[in-house]
Amino acid sequence: MTDASIAASRILQLRAELDEHNYRYHVLDEPSVPDAEYDRLFHELKALETLYPALVTADSPTQRVGSLALSAFGEIKHEVPMLSLGNAFEETDLLDFERRVREGLDLPAGDLFGGAAVVEYSCEPKLDGLAVSLLYRDGLLVRGATRGDGSTGEDISVNVRTIRNVPLKLQGEGWPVVLEVRGEVFMSKSGFAALNARQLEQGGKTFANPRNAAAGSLRQLDSKITASRPLEFCCYGIGQVQGELPSTHIGILEALKQWGMPISRELKLANGADECLAYYRDIGERRESLVYEIDGVVFKVNSLAYQRELGFRAREPRWAIAHKFPALEELTELLDVEFQVGRTGAVTPVARLKPVKVAGVTVSNATLHNMDEVVRLGVMIGDTVTIRRAGDVIPQVVQVVLERRPVDARPVQIPESCPVCGSHVERTQLVKRSKGKETFSEGSVYRCVGRLTCAAQLKQAIIHFVSRRAMDIEGLGDKTIEQLVDEGLITSPADLYRLKFEQIINLEGFAEVSCNKLLQAIADSKQPSLARFIYALGIPDVGEETAKVLARVLASLERVQQALPEVLTYLPDIGLEVAHEIHSFFADSHNRQVIAALLSRDECGLQLQEQGELSAEFSASVTLAAMLDKLNIPSVGPGGAQKLADKFANLEAILAADWLDMRQTLPEKQAKAVREFFDNVANAERARAIEAQLQAFGMHWHSEKKVIAGLPLAGQTWVLTGSLEMMSRDVAKEKLENLGAKVAGSVSAKTSCVVAGPGAGSKLAKASELGLRVMDEAQFLDALADFGL
Ligand code: IVH
């Protein structure tokens, strides 16, 4: 075969593949390969066509933009075509663009003494969504259309009206009688995450990225679905116009803004290519922290007169260019799936990938979350997959390219035994508790049942136990912990306190000084606050906040350990599910043994810093009515529970009453339900146990009427801002919380007090504006001292 015939057949192959990708992207909103892959195929085709111009045909994907409209929507012909943009990938591409602009405008290049006229550019982020045209007649939104193939789009008038920041009517005055506004419809990163979470929960389809989510949401035949999706609009240009507009691009965008149109906050003016490059770098650095996804920035010659002079080439303006960022999605091969065991024993699939560079970082592993996700993706080992790396999130497998599945692809199977310790792997059950009944369903998580006998779980448990916000033992890194576990020197957190100099000195990277330092750090951790200790235990679902609540409210480990699930639900923000996790953690005999060893004076000798006295907050929330309500008696709500409590005043009286007695205060159906509930011995016993526990904790039902003074700062909200010199923010926060205050991140009229250290900025300004109480660190320390802290 000749080179030309090889090229001809490759060209046909590329066109067929690009047509298919185009159709899936523009019509179905379901692209099967990432944009970067599309770009590569497109460039290969373009290069071949440049080499063999005779092979270019009018139907080649290089000769058109976009794709046909989906026939279900009406068609709209664009009066002014909706064009595409040329791309710059390297800085040199941008300098070439600037050179073409200057040549096109016949501007001298300048000499050693300067003197060259500078071209002004508007700089905007290139939002990753889909282009939309909005037509305003006499200031009223009359039509919305997609870009389609650039000359004909789809009529999505009904759908665009559901986008919250699209004005249905222009504000102010001076707008042209006919004004076609163009811009991007997109979804913010958080909107996308929330939508996917909701879709997962409701068993709906999830989206691979915010762009697909925006496209799929906008092109819905049922506009109610569009309305329920977090879509946003950002305007970047105009189409047909009848009337006057400013003579620069930025001038026009600013006028549009005055008329109520959302434009980018990042819009900037640059003088010449150098300032454009500086803009590119600045936005590039902030790319991850922007609330929406962008795939580059767009530079446009600012003067409309210049734009007219430069004109168009094929379907791209000569006066604008997109300078792209590295793609967030790439294709690679799934070499294998391995299973990792986490702190709570969850066995999770991890994708081992053929290394691929995604936005400048080489990725060779990606998360697959859980087995439900593996099923949802339909992924097999050997598949070609799309990998996405957005911000600091762990890279994810988002899609399988089914067309590229090899014949020998293998299914992903969950192992029957733990890959680390060999214990059995169980599928977790989801328990739903409602109206005194428990129903079970299969969860998506698989767990190794080995607990601390599993080296993987033990290592993670120890890493968590010693971490800064837990027991805060410095000098004990992950590597050291791995060695300690692998060499059998520790089998539980308690063993940390039994470590000897001779054992540590033999570990890698330790010498006499570091060894003594570590032993000292371990010894120094022996008096943790109760909250730190509870957090350090690593109870599933108990994070720092929950640990603080348990410590603050119950005030002793003894109570936390004994508390029945229902009793735990009296605590703020603790629901029944978490309550059951806490209860079963402390019911486990191995956990009890470890805790006992940690606290035993002869063994580890930890001394918890406990408040000891049950908090006023707890006493205030415990009432007989609340307790009856928590029993979840069928058909009895909080109102019924209150009536029973008012009439009978204590549990035994209710247990002894017959339904006719209850009838005096409750409707017949409820009265019978209560009687029937307590006729079940298990229910009656449970109620008695809860009451007994509450009484053992020092509660009495007569407290129902007592008004209890809370902690000194109960009900107050404090804000910490600027830097504190005498203590860390974490410590200051902990102290305030111990006094009952909430510590918030922002200042509002409800803020009780602002502690402002050096460097305080907008929060302090806002506080003074609102006339709030403000103190510096010295005054704060005095205030703490007044409370004995
Ligand atoms: S201007 C004639 N400005 O990128 C100029 N486009 O690759 C036409 N896009 O179809 C477009 N942000 O969907 C322009 N600030 C921006 C943009 C932008 C995103 C999209 C738009 C367009 C595509 C071109």
Side-chain angles (χ1 to χ4, degrees):
M1 271 207 283
T2 62
D3 281 356
S5 65
I6 294 174
S9 78
R10 179 65 184 152
I11 283 178
L12 289 182
Q13 205 182 4
L14 286 166
R15 282 184 193 155
E17 200 174 327
L18 285 164
D19 277 342
E20 168 69 16
H21 294 322
N22 246 325
Y23 175 75
R24 295 185 61 133
Y25 184 97
H26 288 288
V27 180
L28 302 181
D29 293 326
E30 274 174 4
S32 59
V33 297
D35 292 356
E37 175 72 2
Y38 180 90
D39 288 347
R40 266 192 297 273
L41 298 171
F42 192 87
H43 280 117
E44 189 186 340
L45 178 61
K46 241 184 158 169
L48 282 173
E49 288 180 348
T50 317
L51 269 177
Y52 300 96
L55 297 178
V56 178
T57 53
D59 67 347
S60 171
T62 56
Q63 307 300 304
R64 61 194 189 109
V65 272
S67 186
L68 303 174
L70 194 69
S71 58
F73 291 98
E75 283 189 354
I76 280 180
K77 184 125 191 64
H78 298 300
E79 295 287 328
V80 179
M82 289 185 79
L83 301 177
S84 173
L85 288 172
N87 289 328
F89 295 98
E90 308 292 333
E91 299 204 342
T92 51
D93 298 338
L94 189 75
L95 298 175
D96 286 345
F97 165 74
E98 150 103 327
R99 189 182 36 74
R100 289 195 303 271
V101 166
R102 299 186 67 87
E103 282 170 10
L105 296 174
D106 235 351
L107 294 176
D111 51 29
L112 273 178
F113 308 101
V118 187
V119 180
E120 286 187 349
Y121 295 96
S122 94
C123 311
E124 303 155 29
K126 185 170 188 299
L127 291 166
D128 204 5
L130 64 160
V132 158
S133 135
L134 303 175
L135 185 66
Y136 289 84
R137 268 183 209 287
D138 297 321
L140 294 181
L141 175 63
V142 291
R143 195 192 79 182
T146 64
R147 181 172 75 160
D149 66 359
S151 16
T152 311
E154 299 147 330
D155 185 343
I156 48 159
S157 303
V158 186
N159 297 18
V160 292
R161 300 179 76 87
T162 68
I163 301 174
R164 258 137 335 270
N165 71 343
V166 165
L168 301 179
K169 214 171 112 201
L170 296 179
Q171 293 173 9
E173 50 199 43
W175 23 260
V177 278
V178 175
L179 175 64
E180 183 192 349
V181 173
R182 290 178 177 177
E184 200 84 346
V185 169
F186 65 99
M187 207 176 270
S188 69
K189 293 175 189 169
S190 58
F192 162 70
L195 171 62
N196 262 359
R198 199 172 77 200
Q199 293 289 100
L200 262 185
E201 209 179 279
Q202 299 173 351
K205 161 183 163 177
T206 56
F207 298 92
N209 55 44
R211 203 213 83 89
N212 290 3
S217 301
L218 187 62
R219 295 166 79 252
Q220 284 284 339
L221 292 171
D222 177 357
S223 65
K224 281 208 204 77
I225 300 182
T226 311
S228 73
R229 302 280 172 83
L231 291 174
E232 289 169 57
F233 177 72
C234 177
C235 155
Y236 54 64
I238 47 162
Q240 54 169 319
V241 179
Q242 283 172 31
E244 290 294 305
L245 280 178
S247 63
T248 62
H249 177 71
I250 294 183
I252 294 176
L253 291 185
E254 267 157 10
L256 289 169
K257 185 178 174 188
Q258 296 296 314
W259 299 327
M261 237 350 115
I263 66 168
S264 174
R265 287 164 181 257
E266 306 290 346
L267 174 68
K268 291 240 158 67
L269 175 78
N271 287 306
D274 285 346
E275 288 190 23
C276 289
L277 288 176
Y279 180 84
Y280 175 79
R281 285 183 217 117
D282 171 51
I283 297 278
E285 272 164 31
R286 293 190 289 119
R287 180 184 189 185
E288 293 186 353
S289 60
L290 293 179
V291 296
Y292 41 78
E293 229 159 63
I294 56 176
D295 55 353
V297 293
V298 182
F299 302 120
K300 297 172 189 162
V301 170
N302 194 29
S303 148
L304 295 199
Y306 278 177
Q307 287 191 4
R308 276 191 293 274
E309 210 173 320
L310 286 161
F312 301 90
R313 184 189 58 183
R315 312 301 301 261
E316 293 165 11
R318 284 208 184 85
W319 43 264
I321 194 159
H323 193 176
K324 302 274 273 233
F325 290 133
L328 296 176
E329 293 184 4
E330 289 291 349
L331 281 185
T332 190
E333 203 180 309
L334 177 62
L335 301 177
D336 201 359
V337 172
E338 285 172 16
F339 289 86
Q340 250 172 18
V341 186
R343 174 160 63 85
T344 58
V347 177
T348 49
V350 180
R352 301 284 178 231
L353 307 164
K354 189 167 157 200
V356 61
K357 254 200 161 170
V358 189
V361 175
T362 303
V363 174
S364 41
N365 303 312
T367 175
L368 282 161
H369 300 295
N370 55 44
M371 287 307 285
D372 281 0
E373 177 74 357
V374 169
V375 173
R376 195 181 67 74
L377 288 166
V379 65
M380 291 173 85
I381 297 164
D383 270 339
T384 295
V385 291
T386 300
I387 300 302
R388 182 179 153 78
R389 194 186 74 84
D392 48 9
V393 186
I394 307 165
Q396 286 178 298
V397 174
V398 291
Q399 211 176 21
V400 176
V401 185
L402 278 180
E403 297 93 329
R404 299 197 190 172
R405 173 165 289 168
V407 280
D408 59 350
R410 287 181 291 129
V412 179
Q413 253 160 351
I414 184 91
E416 279 171 19
S417 52
C418 171
V420 177
C421 73
S423 299
H424 185 56
V425 169
E426 271 182 5
R427 185 165 194 166
T428 49
Q429 290 210 312
L430 292 180
V431 191
K432 223 174 143 190
R433 297 182 173 84
S434 165
K435 294 288 158 214
K437 278 207 195 98
E438 291 185 340
T439 39
F440 297 90
S441 60
E442 285 193 323
S444 53
V445 175
Y446 287 78
R447 255 204 185 106
C448 156
V449 300
R451 307 265 197 128
L452 294 189
T453 64
C454 173
Q457 291 182 60
L458 178 61
K459 284 175 189 171
Q460 294 298 322
I462 304 282
I463 290 173
H464 174 78
F465 187 81
V466 307
S467 63
R468 200 169 60 81
R469 308 181 91 95
M471 300 296 281
D472 193 18
I473 301 180
E474 231 177 282
L476 199 47
D478 298 3
K479 286 267 162 328
T480 309
I481 292 174
E482 282 197 12
Q483 282 186 65
L484 287 169
V485 170
D486 289 341
E487 297 189 11
L489 293 174
I490 47 178
T491 58
S492 85
D495 287 342
L496 284 173
Y497 296 91
R498 301 182 178 117
L499 282 175
K500 302 265 173 322
F501 183 88
E502 309 79 64
Q503 295 172 317
I504 301 175
I505 194 84
N506 287 326
L507 300 176
E508 233 178 272
F510 277 90
E512 196 175 325
V513 176
S514 49
C515 186
N516 281 327
K517 252 184 144 170
L518 175 57
L519 283 169
Q520 191 57 47
I522 294 175
D524 288 347
S525 74
K526 284 188 174 182
Q527 297 181 336
S529 69
L530 177 57
R532 275 182 182 275
F533 182 73
I534 295 172
Y535 174 61
L537 292 174
I539 306 165
D541 289 342
V542 176
E544 221 183 337
E545 287 309 313
T546 309
K548 280 184 188 165
V549 168
L550 287 164
R552 187 183 77 221
V553 179
L554 295 180
S556 83
L557 183 67
E558 177 95 12
R559 287 194 201 100
V560 176
Q561 275 185 294
Q562 287 173 356
L564 293 166
E566 290 84 349
V567 170
L568 288 169
T569 63
Y570 278 104
L571 275 62
D573 299 325
I574 296 190
L576 202 52
E577 303 302 325
V578 180
H580 274 276
E581 286 287 2
I582 298 169
H583 184 71
S584 63
F585 181 90
F586 289 112
D588 180 86
S589 65
H590 181 258
N591 291 340
R592 280 184 171 273
Q593 271 171 27
V594 173
I595 295 169
L598 283 167
L599 300 178
S600 147
R601 208 183 303 164
D602 309 327
E603 295 192 50
C604 308
L606 292 198
Q607 290 175 326
L608 300 188
Q609 305 301 300
E610 308 172 302
Q611 221 73 35
E613 226 171 280
L614 191 69
S615 79
E617 192 183 343
F618 183 73
S619 326
S621 63
V622 175
T623 61
L624 178 58
M627 181 192 122
L628 292 168
D629 186 34
K630 284 187 191 299
L631 291 174
N632 253 321
I633 305 169
S635 72
V636 180
Q642 188 64 57
K643 284 184 191 150
L644 277 177
D646 290 346
K647 177 161 167 62
F648 295 97
N650 69 63
L651 180 66
E652 280 314 315
I654 300 174
L655 291 179
D658 90 18
W659 76 268
L660 285 167
D661 294 336
M662 299 185 198
R663 255 297 310 265
Q664 295 171 11
T665 176
L666 291 180
E668 181 172 329
K669 183 167 164 243
Q670 285 188 23
K672 280 186 171 160
V674 175
R675 194 54 265 156
E676 200 180 310
F677 182 83
F678 286 122
D679 280 343
N680 178 332
V681 181
N683 288 338
E685 283 314 308
R686 180 127 207 103
R688 283 199 177 99
I690 297 169
E691 181 182 50
Q693 177 158 87
L694 291 169
Q695 281 170 355
F697 281 5
M699 290 298 316
H700 300 285
W701 292 136
H702 54 77
S703 64
E704 197 127 340
K705 293 183 191 71
K706 255 202 288 186
V707 178
I708 289 149
L711 292 162
L713 302 182
Q716 296 196 13
T717 304
W718 286 52
V719 172
L720 300 166
T721 181
S723 53
L724 299 182
E725 276 147 14
M726 308 297 286
M727 65 175 82
S728 72
R729 279 232 200 154
D730 283 342
V731 172
K733 182 165 180 244
E734 194 170 314
K735 286 186 191 281
L736 284 167
E737 284 169 349
N738 285 337
L739 292 167
K742 248 177 59 183
V743 178
S746 60
V747 173
S748 78
K750 296 210 179 88
T751 307
S752 323
C753 182
V754 175
V755 179
S762 61
K763 289 181 194 170
L764 177 58
K766 182 150 184 208
S768 1
E769 196 179 294
L770 293 168
L772 301 175
R773 186 170 149 219
V774 175
M775 49 174 82
D776 61 18
E777 186 170 4
Q779 291 166 322
F780 176 55
L781 291 175
D782 285 348
L784 290 178
D786 287 346
F787 294 120
L789 288 178

